[in-house]
Amino acid sequence: MARTRLTPEREGELYEAVLDLLREVGYDALTMDAVAARTRSSKATLYRQWGSKPELVAKALRHNKPGDLADIDTGSLRGDFHAVLSRTDDCQMEKDAALMRGLSHAVHEYPELLEALRELLIEPEMNGFDEMLQRAVARGELRADNPALKYIPHMLVGALAARQLIEDRPVDRAFLVDYVDSVVLPALGV
């Protein structure tokens, strides 16, 4: 069955409503009925357009991302990392961190959510980081055999999770810039 094209504006409204509902009620309580009611659309339209709740949630999160990491190329790895961090503000980071904390619990109960997040959000982000790092290798900034290369995503996700846990403070841009400059780049030999 062919999908009806939504305007980009309407699609953005739907995605924002999904994220708002996720923040309000969490993944478990998020229903297609609630999304349909919030967006004044039919549940049938939602299923026709997105197929499932996990796909809708993953695409809403992807839409919320400020752009493709692979498109960032400042000419230096430090510049690339700083450009990534400058694409969002502290308020948005705090809202995104709260969303991700909630979803990190849901992926253990809903394997189809984890699958959708991996396919639509995590893998594209990891591919973008890989491209960024490979450009740094090609420029001679990094050694291709640096053992830390494969752990960069783990370091960054760990920083996001640990700040709240260890310091009971939200992640903000200043923390992440300092973390990248103090931990990530030295681990890479930059």
Side-chain angles (χ1 to χ4, degrees):
M1 176 185 294
R3 294 181 177 185
T4 307
R5 285 299 316 152
L6 296 174
T7 66
E9 296 78 18
R10 179 68 174 141
E11 196 171 16
E13 289 170 12
L14 286 162
Y15 288 146
E16 195 55 45
V18 169
L19 297 179
D20 286 345
L21 281 165
L22 271 175
R23 289 182 193 104
E24 291 167 23
V25 302
Y27 184 80
D28 287 345
L30 177 77
T31 65
M32 293 299 244
D33 285 324
V35 174
R38 175 76 56 102
T39 61
R40 292 190 270 314
S41 55
S42 75
K43 193 164 77 167
T45 298
L46 296 175
Y47 278 109
R48 191 171 45 252
Q49 194 72 30
W50 287 281
S52 68
K53 178 172 112 172
E55 185 178 339
L56 175 58
V57 167
K59 285 189 175 175
L61 289 164
R62 181 77 197 148
H63 183 266
N64 195 41
K65 288 287 184 190
D68 190 357
L69 292 177
D71 294 337
I72 294 175
D73 186 359
T74 65
S76 76
L77 186 58
R78 179 182 305 276
D80 290 351
F81 273 119
H82 285 225
V84 168
L85 297 175
S86 71
R87 296 188 314 172
T88 189
D89 61 36
D90 291 347
C91 180
Q92 189 62 46
M93 268 189 220
E94 193 168 346
K95 286 166 51 176
D96 290 348
L99 268 179
M100 296 318 287
R101 277 193 304 275
L103 288 173
S104 69
H105 297 292
V107 296
H108 296 292
E109 292 180 45
Y110 302 97
E112 65 280 0
L113 174 62
L114 178 58
E115 184 180 323
L117 289 174
R118 278 196 176 133
E119 178 187 335
L120 298 167
L121 190 67
I122 297 167
E123 287 177 16
E125 290 284 303
M126 294 306 97
N127 291 338
F129 268 116
D130 286 344
E131 287 184 45
M132 189 184 299
L133 294 170
Q134 290 311 309
R135 280 195 304 267
V137 168
R139 286 190 300 260
E141 287 182 271
L142 301 178
R143 288 188 357 254
D145 64 346
N146 184 317
L149 278 173
K150 65 184 175 188
Y151 295 113
I152 298 306
H154 302 81
M155 282 191 243
L156 294 170
V157 170
L160 294 172
R163 178 83 188 271
Q164 188 76 44
L165 184 67
I166 293 171
E167 297 178 39
D168 194 25
R169 294 175 58 196
V171 170
D172 58 27
R173 189 179 310 142
F175 168 79
L176 289 176
V177 166
D178 188 47
Y179 182 83
V180 163
D181 289 345
S182 303
V183 177
V184 177
L185 293 173
L188 291 169
V190 175

